[in-house]
Amino acid sequence: MSAPPIRKIVIVGGGTAGWMAAAALSKVLGAMPGLAITLIESEAIGTVGVGEATIPQIVHFNKLLGINEAEFMRETHATYKLGIEFVDWTRLGHSYVHPFGQYGIDMLGIEFHHFWLKGLALGDATALDAYSIGAMAGKAGRFYWPETGNPNSPLARLAYAFQFDAGRYARFLRRRAEEAGVTRVEGRVTQIEQHPETGFVTRVALENGTQVDGELFIDCSGFRSLLLGQTLGVPFLDWSKWLPCDRAVAISCTKRETGAEDQPLTRSTARKAGWQWRIPLQHRVGNGHVYASAFMSEDEATETLLAHLDGTPLASPNHIRFTGGHRTRVWEKNVVALGLAGGFLEPLESTAIHLVQSGIARLLAYFPSTAFTQVEIDRFNAETAQDYLDIRDFLVLHYKATARNDSEFWNYCRTLDPPDGLKAKLDMFRSSGRIVREHNELFTETSWLSVMACQGIVASDHHPAAALLPDDEVLRRLSHVRGVIASAVSQMPTQDQFLASIGGA
Ligand code: FAD
């Protein structure tokens, strides 16, 4: 006989993770009779207050919730994002875009970049950006929706994400979750009760005396990891050896006063002991400096940040400490952690909100009954650990693949011994220009190519099939692809024109 279904879900924490979970679970499971979802949050504690850049999967999350994009853009003061511009990562004075969407167009059944590599060998040194509609539109400040119905259109190779005000996004989701029946409880959780034999969490008690019982607890309490880390004692896997940045200082500022339009890009500029983000929203610019405390003091990091702002600061600097890594089991007993409570990898590729989203999808796929069978829990944990590992390797690539030798930090990064998975990818690309995408990992061939090729990893060969096409034909086709992309970009509206046209600004 099957065990009774879960009737009471308790979400502890109302940051981006908590409200994403509440909105999605109430949308998907809300129709189940007798299911109660409660979210507890403490305004006095507040949220981490950062987390504004996303990757294209967020578009699907919003669609799942039935969110109207124009309304969302308006209410969260969002902008579009076609990729990330990396400045000074390869060497000082160099920049490139890691775009969403694909480069060029596959030919003879093999990936476009092999023809680009052949072009390089023939002396055509055009940078990869010219073959990406996302990179070119981003740099030109233009935006349009992808044309999914027409595979021959360059717009079919475009993908986009959002940059939004995280506080507004949480409130936007909160309204939907409450309308779908989620109960919000305000207050600080001070006690957590566990079953004396199984150790399962049974109840949380708040400072004001309120008690909330549950069967499934979702820990969205941020870096505190109140249930998973503090109560159940699940250890943290520390990756700071490969990702030495462990601090951030963040601040919002006004937009440039010149009236210039922003590009639909997040910008990451490498600094002496880390990097600085710039995330342009409709009403302000989010900025932060991620740095390694072993190589730079808090004062110097703050000064560096403040010296590189577009406009006037809108608040005082927000200092955040973190360690790169994750809890070894993100689901333990009847507690599932989402967001910072489960782990954190620095925001270099804007992956944290995506990890919340994929955690929710995975929880729905392995949704437990009151039996909480271990086989599903183990599977959930193994898949989550793999996600973190794949993303870690991609982030480490950015630090490893650099020619910078102008500071102790960059010398450490350039000479570090890469994790095995990254090493195998680097070896393969160096040998033949091939990129191996393992087990449907989050970052595609485009992403790996972008960072490897643009940060100076040299492929000594290309796919033999590219050699079959005569040299002048390869050069002609490369030039044609560039021309098609440039022409398509010139016909796209600017981002501001586009936002105005959909009523999203
Ligand atoms: P939090 O926002 O910290 O929320 C925790 C919640 O738990 C709060 O509501 C708090 O009140 C509540 N809480 C805690 N303790 C208690 C208690 N005892 N009782 C009651 N309630 C409690 N992600 C991206 O995708 N893109 C980015 O660009 C990005 N940039 C980032 C930059 C930095 C420097 C950092 C640190 C993170 C960044 N992230 C980014 C990550 C992103 O901010 C988080 O993943 C996301 O906001 C989710 O946070 P959270 O909800 O887990 O935690």
Side-chain angles (χ1 to χ4, degrees):
M1 218 178 72
S2 47
I6 300 278
R7 297 278 181 209
K8 288 182 197 162
I9 301 176
V10 178
I11 301 170
V12 176
T16 308
W19 284 114
M20 281 177 78
L25 295 183
S26 59
K27 173 81 181 177
V28 177
L29 305 175
M32 277 168 56
L35 177 76
I37 304 176
T38 305
L39 183 145
I40 306 167
E41 67 177 324
S42 158
E43 267 169 33
I45 294 176
T47 66
V48 70
V50 282
E52 306 187 322
T54 60
I55 57 175
Q57 285 77 357
I58 188 85
V59 176
H60 306 296
F61 183 78
N62 281 0
K63 279 196 181 134
L64 169 86
L65 297 185
I67 289 172
N68 172 286
E69 191 166 303
E71 182 194 354
F72 160 79
M73 299 302 289
R74 211 171 34 245
E75 294 223 2
T76 64
H77 292 182
T79 52
Y80 287 103
K81 172 178 171 187
L82 293 172
I84 303 177
E85 183 182 20
F86 286 96
V87 179
D88 292 345
W89 279 81
T90 311
R91 57 181 180 279
L92 288 168
H94 177 271
S95 78
Y96 72 95
V97 174
H98 165 202
F100 303 134
Q102 238 184 297
Y103 286 109
I105 186 162
D106 294 352
M107 296 186 263
L108 308 179
I110 58 167
E111 294 132 321
F112 169 81
H113 78 268
H114 289 285
F115 298 91
W116 174 73
L117 287 172
K118 177 166 173 175
L120 273 186
L122 293 171
D124 180 346
T126 313
L128 259 180
D129 281 1
Y131 301 98
S132 158
I133 186 159
M136 296 308 278
K139 291 202 281 194
R142 292 172 184 266
F143 182 80
Y144 201 77
W145 279 319
E147 204 175 326
T148 44
N150 177 4
N152 294 322
S153 162
L155 281 172
R157 280 156 193 78
L158 195 68
Y160 69 96
F162 308 113
Q163 303 169 129
F164 52 64
D165 181 319
R168 285 176 176 268
Y169 187 52
R171 287 194 289 281
F172 185 77
L173 294 179
R174 171 179 162 187
R175 211 175 56 228
R176 292 175 169 267
E178 288 188 313
E179 277 165 14
V182 172
T183 305
R184 174 182 179 272
V185 175
E186 161 62 34
R188 183 191 291 257
V189 173
T190 48
Q191 272 179 30
I192 292 151
E193 288 180 26
Q194 292 172 267
H195 189 280
E197 279 151 30
T198 62
F200 275 45
V201 173
T202 51
R203 171 183 291 172
V204 295
L206 276 59
E207 208 169 31
N208 60 16
T210 309
Q211 300 194 332
V212 183
D213 294 345
E215 290 163 323
L216 171 65
F217 286 81
I218 304 187
D219 188 350
C220 296
S221 63
F223 285 129
R224 285 174 184 78
S225 195
L226 210 55
L227 307 183
L228 190 76
Q230 287 186 27
T231 306
L232 298 182
V234 176
F236 190 85
L237 184 60
D238 180 339
W239 281 335
S240 41
K241 169 177 142 192
W242 287 299
L243 294 170
C245 288
D246 60 352
R247 300 272 198 284
V249 49
I251 198 163
S252 293
C253 71
T254 57
K255 299 189 66 138
R256 279 193 296 257
E257 272 137 37
T258 56
E261 282 192 32
D262 271 312
Q263 298 167 328
L265 295 172
T266 293
R267 188 185 304 147
S268 163
T269 306
R271 302 278 182 228
K272 202 170 102 189
W275 59 278
Q276 181 167 341
W277 79 74
R278 176 185 182 276
I279 303 177
L281 308 184
Q282 287 185 28
H283 60 311
R284 61 168 171 79
V285 179
N287 308 277
H289 183 187
V290 174
Y291 63 100
S293 62
F295 297 90
M296 186 177 270
S297 70
E298 186 176 294
D299 285 350
E300 191 182 352
T302 310
E303 274 167 33
T304 305
L305 173 71
L306 297 178
H308 296 92
L309 300 181
D310 286 1
T312 315
L314 291 166
S316 356
N318 173 12
H319 296 276
I320 302 160
R321 292 172 174 222
F322 58 83
T323 306
H326 66 93
R327 300 269 160 200
T328 50
R329 294 180 303 284
V330 176
W331 183 342
E332 175 84 337
K333 302 183 190 291
N334 62 337
V335 172
V336 179
L338 294 172
L340 304 174
F344 181 61
L345 294 170
E346 60 175 81
L348 186 54
E349 285 284 353
S350 321
T351 42
I353 292 173
H354 169 74
L355 281 166
V356 174
Q357 178 182 343
S358 61
I360 294 169
R362 189 167 286 134
L363 175 59
L364 285 167
Y366 296 114
F367 200 78
S369 70
T370 48
F372 284 96
T373 46
Q374 197 59 36
V375 66
E376 276 89 10
I377 297 176
D378 289 347
R379 178 81 199 175
F380 181 99
N381 285 332
E383 289 182 7
T384 307
Q386 189 65 53
D387 278 358
Y388 273 103
L389 196 134
D390 290 339
I391 295 171
R392 176 200 70 186
D393 283 3
F394 187 56
L395 299 188
V396 176
L397 169 67
H398 297 63
Y399 289 101
K400 173 75 189 157
T402 182
R404 285 189 65 156
N405 59 1
D406 53 301
S407 70
E408 256 186 89
F409 173 80
W410 286 107
N411 286 340
Y412 175 87
C413 296
R414 199 187 62 255
T415 56
L416 64 74
D417 193 19
D420 291 347
L422 172 56
K423 187 170 181 313
K425 280 201 166 75
L426 286 168
D427 288 348
M428 177 65 85
F429 185 71
R430 284 193 177 109
S431 157
S432 62
R434 288 186 175 87
I435 294 161
V436 184
R437 184 178 177 206
E438 314 273 3
H439 42 248
N440 207 24
E441 65 183 301
L442 175 62
F443 286 102
T444 63
E445 290 84 348
T446 298
S447 297
W448 283 96
L449 172 69
S450 176
V451 180
M452 286 202 277
C454 299
Q455 288 201 199
I457 305 293
V458 177
S460 55
D461 203 353
H462 46 262
H463 195 292
L468 295 174
L469 211 57
D471 294 355
D472 54 349
E473 179 60 9
V474 169
L475 296 175
R476 191 193 67 75
R477 288 196 188 188
L478 288 173
S479 158
H480 177 70
V481 171
R482 293 198 296 267
V484 169
I485 287 174
S487 157
V489 167
S490 71
Q491 290 166 48
M492 291 163 79
T494 67
Q495 172 172 226
D496 285 3
Q497 286 167 345
F498 183 81
L499 279 169
S501 75
I502 62 163

